[in-house]
Amino acid sequence: MSLVSLKELFSFGFKSFVYATSFSVGVLSDKLILGAFINPVAVAFYTIPVNFLSQARNLVWSVTRVFMPMFSELDARNEKQVARDLLFNSSRYALGIILPLIGGICILGPTFLHHWMGPDYALQGRWVLHIMAAAYLFQWLCPFRNRFLQGVNRLEVQARLGFVSVIINLAASVALVNFMGKEGVALGTLLPSMVIEPYLLFYTCRVAGGSLRHYLISVYLPLLVPVSVFAGFLAWFVEMWPPQNLLEVIWVAMLSIIVYWPFFFMFGMSRHERTVLLDRFWVLHRKWRRA
C-alpha cells in the first residue's frame, strides 16, 4: 500500500470516526444531563419515548447501509447522474416509509405508551416524543446522505458540522433543562438539527450534481398527497374510535397502512415505476400459478 493510499484511508476513517463519535455523544449526553440536573426518574420518562423512535432509526440505518458500496462504485466509474438518480429515488422510497412511520408514532405513540407503560409515561413523555420526532425528521431530510457522502468520500463538512451540532446540543440542553426539564433537553437536540440538517441536505445535493429544488420536487412533492391522506385518516380514526388496548393500537396502525399504500402507488411512484412493479407482480403470479 502506497503512502498516498494510506493517507486517504486514514483521513476517511478519521472523518467517519469524528461523525460517529459526535452522534454517540449527542445521544448519551441527554441522559447524563437529565440525571445530573433533575433526577434519575426523569431519565426513564425521557428514554422510553426516545427508544420508541430509535427503533425506527435503527430500521432506517439497516436499510441504508447496503447503499454505501453502490454509491462508491458509481463514483469510481464517474457515473454521477446514475448516482444522483439513485440517491433521489431511493430517498423518495425511504421517506415513503419514514414519514408515515413518524407520523403514526406521533399520533398513536402517546396511546401506545399509555397502554404499554402506563398513563404516567404517556403524560410525561408526550412532548418529548413529539419534539424528538421533529428532530429525527430533520435528521432524515435525506435518509441516504451519510451513505452517499461516505461512498464518494466527501465527509469533511458532515464531520465538522456533526462536531458543531453536539456542542450546540450540549450547550442548549444545559441551558434549557432547568427551565423546561426533559422537554428542554429534547429541544437541545432539535435546535441544531433545524439549522445544520437543511444545510447538509443542500451540500449533499450539490455534491451529487443536483439542486435542492430538484430534490424537493422529485422526493417530497410526490409524497405530499399519500402522507397527508395517511395522517388525516389516522388522526380522524383515533379521534372517532380511540384504541382501548395495545391490540387495537396495532389494528388501527395496520388499517392506516392499508389506506396509505394505494395512494403511495398512485402519487409516490412514477408511471414507469408502477409499470415495472406491475410487470414483476404478474410474472411472479404466473410462476405461482404454474407451480
Side-chain angles (χ1 to χ4, degrees):
M1 181 180 294
S2 67
L3 184 61
V4 174
S5 299
L6 184 62
K7 182 179 178 181
E8 291 180 356
L9 183 62
F10 176 79
S11 176
F12 177 84
F14 178 74
K15 287 179 287 190
S16 299
F17 172 78
V18 169
Y19 178 74
T21 302
S22 299
F23 182 84
S24 299
V25 170
V27 172
L28 295 174
S29 64
D30 293 346
K31 302 172 186 178
L32 295 176
I33 291 171
L34 282 171
F37 285 85
I38 304 181
N39 55 60
V41 177
V43 178
F45 286 129
Y46 179 89
T47 302
I48 295 298
V50 172
N51 285 346
F52 195 24
L53 286 163
S54 296
Q55 300 305 315
R57 181 186 63 197
N58 294 337
L59 173 65
V60 173
W61 281 353
S62 299
V63 172
T64 61
R65 185 176 293 114
V66 299
F67 280 77
M68 195 272 280
M70 298 173 62
F71 289 127
S72 181
E73 181 178 352
L74 291 172
D75 182 65
R77 294 179 179 177
N78 201 30
E79 297 181 9
K80 297 187 180 298
Q81 183 174 350
V82 178
R84 181 174 66 251
D85 291 342
L86 177 63
L87 173 66
F88 285 20
N89 291 332
S90 57
S91 295
R92 173 162 46 85
Y93 276 95
L95 286 165
I97 298 173
I98 292 169
L99 294 179
L101 181 63
I102 296 299
I105 289 175
C106 287
I107 296 171
L108 284 175
T111 304
F112 181 86
L113 290 174
H114 176 89
H115 294 300
W116 178 41
M117 298 295 297
D120 287 341
Y121 281 90
L123 181 63
Q124 295 285 340
R126 177 185 298 271
W127 282 108
V128 171
L129 184 70
H130 291 163
I131 295 170
M132 291 301 294
Y136 279 31
L137 282 176
F138 274 101
Q139 293 171 10
W140 288 333
L141 287 174
C142 183
F144 292 87
R145 182 201 72 219
N146 185 42
R147 307 306 180 189
F148 173 76
L149 294 177
Q150 279 185 319
V152 301
N153 194 19
R154 296 290 296 273
L155 285 171
E156 310 89 3
V157 173
Q158 180 175 256
R160 293 169 185 168
L161 290 181
F163 180 77
V164 172
S165 178
V166 74
I167 296 300
I168 298 174
N169 184 357
L170 288 170
S173 297
V174 171
L176 294 173
V177 67
N178 288 322
F179 300 98
M180 303 179 65
K182 56 188 178 300
E183 288 79 10
V185 175
L187 279 173
T189 302
L190 173 61
L191 292 176
S193 297
M194 293 174 63
V195 177
I196 291 175
E197 296 298 332
Y199 177 77
L200 283 175
L201 173 60
F202 167 78
Y203 174 76
T204 303
C205 291
R206 189 176 65 181
V207 171
S211 65
L212 178 60
R213 178 176 178 273
H214 182 204
Y215 180 86
L216 295 176
I217 291 175
S218 61
V219 175
Y220 279 92
L221 187 60
L223 299 175
L224 181 61
V225 170
V227 173
S228 298
V229 170
F230 171 84
F233 173 81
L234 183 57
W236 169 79
F237 197 95
V238 170
E239 179 69 23
M240 297 298 295
W241 297 282
Q244 302 300 315
N245 50 59
L246 281 178
L247 186 61
E248 290 187 8
V249 171
I250 296 172
W251 182 82
V252 170
M254 293 178 63
L255 180 62
S256 301
I257 292 172
I258 293 173
V259 171
Y260 168 74
W261 282 114
F263 286 91
F264 178 80
F265 180 80
M266 290 301 301
F267 295 95
M269 302 175 66
S270 67
R271 180 180 299 179
H272 173 70
E273 290 168 342
R274 291 196 298 268
T275 301
V276 171
L277 182 62
L278 289 174
D279 288 344
R280 292 183 178 178
F281 170 79
W282 287 117
V283 168
L284 292 174
H285 177 70
R286 285 193 292 269
K287 288 182 178 179
W288 177 78
R289 290 290 299 272
R290 290 171 184 172

